[in-house]
Amino acid sequence: MQVGISSFGAWMLGVGANIGSMAFLFHAPMIAMGGPLAAVTAWALAALLSVPLALVLAELASMFPAAGGPYIYKYVALKRLVPGMGEMLGFLTGWIFWIYLVVGYACMSCGLANLLSTSIWGSAQASPLWFGPVIITLLFASTTWLNLMQVRHAARLNNVFTLLKLAVALAFGILVACSPGTSLVNLMQPATPGGGGNFIVNVAAVLPFALAGFSGIEMAGCAASETSDARRSVPRAILRTVATVAVVYVGMCVAVCCASPYTVSADGSTAVVAASGTVATAPALAGLLGGRLWEAAITAGVVLSITSCAFSGLLSAARTSFSMAETGLFPGQFARLNPRTRVPQYSLVFQFLFLSFIGVGANLMSRSGAFADAYTFLGGACGFIYAVLAMLYGVCLLGLRYTDPEMPRPFRLGRSGNQLAWQLALGSTAVYAVIAFACTHWSYQLAGLTFLVLGIPVYAFYRWR
């Protein structure tokens, strides 16, 4: 692979892969489930809880400047820690990380289909049945095509996309701040719009969704082999990504909550403006506060944000499946590079097909009534999957501290000894264990575990070969 991503580009890759639709569209269901104050609190708490994980990831990234970094961290560590079974466990962590990326971006594509359906027909259910599948397929086809260019060109394009989406978030915040109906009183509501008054329970209900917004802070590590001075620039990019994502998510949630008092929609799935029934998403609120021009501008910005997120996410996911293929546990074609651009073209094409299948399938199942909303369901499943992955990062760091103490670590937790590494690793593991098994609905757990189990025959097939 060719080095073509700068230190700034690695930071923008992390931010671009994390901020997609959730920052603009997902606050409405969170407010419906937990209420305004609980939603903002959950975002702030998620940011704080992500810091120990970010520090753990930063050390791991400084040790493995390789393509598909998050897979390599766990694959190497688990092979050392669990002789005999370690290779399968390492593969399954890579498999579930890749599945997490696919499910997450399929979720985001359903959010895009919902947004455009609402903009044109008034609601997602009112659009023609073909509309969602067409939008989802076009999203992944266009972002896959863009990722076939040389990585240095892709990184520059991602920088532009990411800076533009940050500008859209800032513009929405300014609009809300300048609107006469904006009030902190709207924010300081501990109960849900439906009347649920237990604030702690409300925060716990929405915290897994908030943590899902930070699930992907390690994405800069996926392209480490193409990043300049990766051992130093990737750890910095991970830490900067957490800070940037925290500011955007908390700021956007505060803006949405302050914009108006809310009630619950007829089906109970989302928050709407009490007087008008306007859904509490950034585009809809922009139209309510600033008129059609503002709504069109913010809608276009959200479409750009989702496209940007899919673009950077597909870049990172392709490097993960490339790395899995290099270890011999995924189709060998995925490890082949385009001779001219030096990017994993077969991996990118397969991703397009798989993403389209998951996204379109979820959209059609939602329209058939199998579940209320594909966007929310896939988001919950994605949150559970990432929580399981996050639990393992701390275990892998501690294992490598003892199995490979002399491995170079330009970024090290603590100047000497392992005490700080133990504290951060165990703290991070405990947080995500609670999120995965105590705060997540059983249906999301079941979906995530099903994806994990499906990886066992894949491993068995390629291991046998």
Side-chain angles (χ1 to χ4, degrees):
M1 287 184 170
Q2 296 177 341
V3 174
I5 303 175
S6 65
S7 179
F8 178 78
W11 175 22
M12 290 296 99
L13 181 62
V15 174
N18 273 264
I19 298 176
S21 59
M22 286 188 75
F24 302 95
L25 305 179
F26 210 79
H27 302 297
M30 288 182 66
I31 293 171
M33 284 185 284
L37 187 59
V40 173
T41 302
W43 282 114
L45 186 59
L48 292 175
L49 293 176
S50 298
V51 171
L53 177 61
L55 293 168
V56 168
L57 286 166
E59 178 168 326
L60 289 170
S62 73
M63 297 167 65
F64 297 99
Y71 166 61
I72 296 298
Y73 312 157
K74 298 185 288 292
Y75 180 80
V76 173
L78 290 172
K79 283 188 70 173
R80 284 160 165 71
L81 288 172
V82 191
M85 290 286 290
E87 184 182 63
M88 184 182 76
L89 295 175
F91 167 79
L92 289 177
T93 62
W95 164 264
I96 201 68
F97 180 70
W98 187 73
I99 289 293
Y100 147 73
L101 294 176
V102 170
V103 172
Y105 292 112
C107 163
M108 186 181 63
S109 71
C110 290
L112 175 62
N114 290 349
L115 170 65
L116 294 178
S117 296
T118 302
S119 299
I120 299 171
W121 286 282
S123 72
Q125 294 297 323
S127 64
L129 192 62
W130 56 263
F131 183 75
V134 168
I135 292 299
I136 291 168
T137 304
L138 285 175
L139 171 68
F140 293 132
S142 60
T143 49
T144 297
W145 178 72
L146 289 172
N147 265 305
L148 291 172
M149 69 176 74
Q150 290 183 348
V151 72
R152 60 190 178 93
H153 299 310
R156 291 169 185 167
L157 182 60
N158 181 70
N159 293 346
V160 174
F161 278 162
T162 303
L163 291 173
L164 285 174
K165 79 170 73 176
L166 295 178
V168 172
L170 179 61
F172 177 76
I174 293 172
L175 172 64
V176 172
C178 296
S179 300
T182 299
S183 173
L184 286 174
V185 175
N186 299 328
L187 167 64
M188 305 303 292
Q189 301 297 322
T192 68
N198 190 321
F199 179 69
I200 302 299
V201 172
N202 293 343
V203 172
V206 295
L207 183 58
F209 294 99
L211 278 168
F214 291 86
S215 58
I217 55 177
E218 68 270 57
M219 296 293 277
C222 293
S225 65
E226 297 157 283
T227 302
S228 176
D229 192 18
R231 289 187 183 273
R232 291 176 173 80
S233 58
V234 172
R236 288 196 295 264
I238 291 172
L239 299 177
R240 290 169 180 169
T241 294
V242 173
T244 307
V245 170
V247 170
V248 173
Y249 277 126
V250 174
M252 286 294 294
C253 191
V254 168
V256 169
C257 291
C258 288
S260 171
Y262 295 106
T263 186
V264 182
S265 61
D267 61 2
S269 65
T270 191
V272 297
V273 176
S276 66
T278 302
V279 180
T281 61
L285 289 173
L288 182 68
L289 300 176
R292 289 186 176 274
L293 186 60
W294 267 99
E295 181 177 7
I298 298 298
T299 299
V302 176
V303 172
L304 171 68
S305 178
I306 294 173
T307 304
S308 163
C309 190
F311 174 65
S312 52
L314 266 60
L315 185 151
S316 300
R319 274 61 181 176
T320 301
S321 52
F322 167 86
S323 183
M324 292 166 68
E326 283 206 311
T327 58
L329 299 174
F330 229 37
Q333 293 91 334
F334 291 1
R336 296 180 185 175
L337 301 177
N338 181 288
R340 184 178 61 85
T341 62
R342 311 305 298 170
V343 299
Q345 61 180 5
Y346 294 102
S347 179
L348 284 164
V349 172
F350 179 77
Q351 272 182 189
F352 158 68
L353 297 173
F354 197 70
L355 278 161
S356 299
F357 175 78
I358 296 294
V360 170
N363 180 267
L364 293 177
M365 289 179 69
S366 175
R367 293 295 298 269
S368 69
F371 41 79
D373 178 41
Y375 183 50
T376 305
F377 181 81
L378 288 178
C382 181
F384 171 75
I385 291 171
Y386 188 78
V388 173
L389 288 170
M391 292 166 54
L392 292 172
Y393 285 123
V395 174
C396 293
L397 174 67
L398 293 177
L400 290 167
R401 278 293 183 97
Y402 293 97
T403 62
D404 296 81
E406 303 304 320
M407 185 179 290
R409 294 170 169 85
F411 183 95
R412 191 181 193 279
L413 298 175
R415 294 185 178 180
S416 61
N418 296 323
Q419 183 177 357
L420 182 58
W422 271 97
Q423 292 172 347
L424 292 173
L426 291 180
S428 173
T429 301
V431 165
Y432 284 94
V434 171
I435 294 300
F437 300 107
C439 298
T440 303
H441 192 269
W442 67 266
S443 63
Y444 303 146
Q445 295 173 348
L446 180 61
L449 291 173
T450 299
F451 283 126
L452 177 63
V453 170
L454 289 174
I456 295 176
V458 176
Y459 168 79
F461 175 76
Y462 286 102
R463 188 67 181 86
W464 173 77
R465 290 187 67 187

